[in-house]
Amino acid sequence: MPGGDETIFWKDVLDAEGRWTGVGALEERFSKLDKDGAIIVYCGSGVSACPNVIALEEAGYKNVKLYSGS
């Protein structure tokens, strides 16, 4: 979503047992995001945003950054 916000809870990239979901599930979870656009992930501390950074990269997003000022 260019210029927009998309809220994706970090635990939603995990399955019921707390393991990473598969790439297909991650691609579906992030399907509203532009794969070629810049994606900046943030949260209140920067810690809980990290799983989304990793999951986005697993799903094939290349321009993902963590906003460390969060």
Side-chain angles (χ1 to χ4, degrees):
M1 294 175 42
D5 289 331
E6 181 71 26
T7 302
I8 300 173
F9 184 51
W10 72 272
K11 284 188 178 181
D12 288 346
V13 299
L14 306 174
D15 66 15
E17 287 81 39
R19 296 185 188 100
W20 292 102
T21 58
V23 173
L26 294 175
E27 289 174 339
E28 183 177 332
R29 163 118 354 248
F30 300 123
S31 65
K32 292 181 181 180
L33 303 176
D34 179 8
K35 256 196 172 172
D36 297 321
I39 298 174
I40 300 170
V41 182
Y42 64 95
C43 65
S45 66
V47 176
S48 59
C50 290
N52 276 335
V53 171
I54 295 167
L56 282 157
E57 290 176 351
E58 280 290 308
Y61 292 81
K62 303 294 182 202
N63 194 6
V64 179
K65 296 181 177 36
L66 174 66
Y67 175 65
S68 58
S70 60

